[in-house]
Amino acid sequence: MRRLTIPFALLLTTLTACGALRTHEARDPQGELVGSNILDLAQSVGIPDKTMKLVDTGGPNDRLEAQWNFSNSDAALDMNALVLDIKVGGAGKCSMTATVERWGGKVLAVNFPQAHSDSIGSDYGACEPLVEEALTHNPHTPEDPKWDAFSLVGAAK
């Protein structure tokens, strides 16, 4: 049993890192999502669950925050050992937020506020399906500087 401890720990760490890698890729300022259009995110992962106007002056610095929530109860590996509840393979809750320019809808930043990488049971695995959809099905909508992204406010559930 002792011989399997180190390989098993290495396997769990590797599986957790796969989910974290995609979320870091989504956050990357030179990546696919940052710099894309909010309409691209809405087409690939759906209408945001929540939207909020951050700055509403009518000027070029107006911002919008959009949030998508995702929950997945299926895990590839679910273990309960003493006080540890370890789920590997996508179980958990994920929230993805995007900070967006009002005029044109350019995505300035993408964050995952619930996810953390300091434990094996982190929610990065739960974010992976949402991030995968956003990265692989990004339609690259042309930017229209006259389009008002605040029109998405109220479109949320």
Side-chain angles (χ1 to χ4, degrees):
M1 183 69 174
R2 288 186 189 188
R3 291 181 187 177
L4 295 177
T5 303
I6 292 175
F8 183 68
L10 183 63
L11 175 68
L12 263 108
T13 305
T14 303
L15 290 174
T16 301
C18 291
L21 179 65
R22 295 299 279 181
T23 54
H24 289 298
E25 183 182 341
R27 277 190 199 137
D28 184 13
Q30 285 79 35
E32 287 281 321
L33 297 185
V34 176
S36 68
N37 193 313
I38 184 68
L39 294 175
D40 295 339
L41 286 178
Q43 287 177 16
S44 59
V45 296
I47 296 172
D49 296 305
K50 296 178 183 177
T51 53
M52 180 177 75
K53 298 175 186 178
L54 296 178
V55 180
D56 187 5
T57 62
N61 294 325
D62 287 358
R63 301 287 182 263
L64 167 77
E65 189 78 21
Q67 179 177 335
W68 291 264
N69 297 313
F70 180 74
S71 180
N72 186 6
S73 60
D74 297 330
L77 175 63
D78 189 358
M79 293 179 17
N80 292 323
L82 299 175
V83 296
L84 296 175
D85 183 20
I86 300 172
K87 294 180 180 180
V88 178
K93 295 180 181 177
C94 175
S95 291
M96 180 174 79
T97 61
T99 305
V100 179
E101 285 183 348
R102 177 180 185 173
W103 304 108
K106 180 181 178 184
V107 176
L108 301 173
V110 174
N111 288 300
F112 301 89
Q114 288 182 336
H116 48 85
S117 61
D118 58 350
S119 70
I120 292 173
S122 75
D123 286 329
Y124 275 122
C127 291
E128 203 276 333
L130 185 70
V131 172
E132 182 69 26
E133 259 323 289
L135 290 172
T136 59
H137 295 102
N138 191 334
H140 302 288
T141 305
E143 198 171 305
D144 178 7
K146 295 179 184 174
W147 181 72
D148 187 358
F150 280 8
S151 63
L152 289 175
V153 176
K157 300 173 191 172

